[in-house]
Amino acid sequence: MKSPCVNICLIDEPTRQCLGCGRSLREISGWSQMNDAERDAIMKVLPHRLQLLPQVTS
């Protein structure tokens, strides 16, 4: 199963999206129950979402 997870699991409180992969908490929790088309649709919008989120600094 494809996953955008990059093992940087930090949630941006205002947006409730992961700063590592860009998914929402709902998308993360339901990922394994989604079909390929649903996952692909989410993966298409993640690059844009990540541009809008604060950058993770080490």
Side-chain angles (χ1 to χ4, degrees):
M1 171 185 321
K2 292 186 285 183
S3 173
C5 182
V6 294
N7 294 316
I8 301 173
C9 303
L10 300 169
I11 301 301
D12 178 58
E13 287 301 321
T15 63
R16 307 291 290 163
Q17 292 174 329
C18 177
L19 296 174
C21 70
R23 292 180 293 171
S24 69
L25 290 175
R26 180 176 288 181
E27 291 165 343
I28 293 168
S29 66
W31 195 254
S32 62
Q33 288 78 39
M34 293 178 190
N35 63 41
D36 287 340
E38 292 168 321
R39 286 191 290 270
D40 287 341
I42 293 168
M43 290 187 64
K44 282 183 182 180
V45 300
L46 294 180
H48 177 70
R49 283 188 194 173
L50 286 169
Q51 288 179 345
L52 301 175
L53 289 171
Q55 299 299 304
V56 177
T57 57
S58 30

